[in-house]
Amino acid sequence: MSQTSQLNEISTLELAQALMERLSISPDDWHRLKSNRNSRASEQAAAAMVFLVKNEPQEAQARLQQAVGWLDKSISAPPCPTHGHKREEIKE
């Protein structure tokens, strides 16, 4: 079976979801890739594709805006809540 006929057996939604899964940053890679603009933009663009295929244009637009924000450097990763900040002590 050729690769083209194999792809024809998979729905467009399944293909979009597979791409999103492939491009999603795993918890194990989060700290390493959280500020990688290309990785973050790819992740958001793939999520947008899933929402487009599901006919959810508002959700798709939000993800596309996030992707553009990563690419044009208008957004950045927030600091990790458990690193770099002094934790408040609980006062009794």
Side-chain angles (χ1 to χ4, degrees):
M1 184 180 275
S2 73
Q3 188 174 7
T4 302
S5 62
Q6 286 177 337
L7 288 177
N8 288 336
E9 299 295 319
I10 302 170
S11 75
T12 302
L13 179 58
E14 289 171 319
L15 286 170
Q17 289 171 328
L19 181 61
M20 184 179 74
E21 186 176 319
R22 175 70 56 97
L23 295 174
S24 292
I25 298 172
S26 73
D28 292 340
D29 291 329
W30 178 250
H31 281 95
R32 184 173 62 84
L33 296 174
K34 72 177 184 156
S35 296
N36 182 304
R37 294 192 174 280
N38 190 59
S39 292
R40 298 299 300 270
S42 297
E43 180 180 51
Q44 292 298 314
M49 182 80 64
V50 171
F51 284 112
L52 281 172
V53 171
K54 292 170 73 175
N55 197 27
E56 296 182 38
Q58 289 181 317
E59 290 295 329
Q61 184 178 5
R63 294 337 183 271
L64 289 171
Q65 288 171 336
Q66 288 282 309
V68 169
W70 281 107
L71 294 173
D72 71 10
K73 300 180 181 176
S74 64
I75 62 172
S76 297
C80 182
T82 60
H83 294 90
H85 296 286
K86 187 175 180 180
R87 293 183 185 174
E88 293 183 23
E89 293 181 26
I90 299 173
K91 297 181 181 179
E92 294 182 24

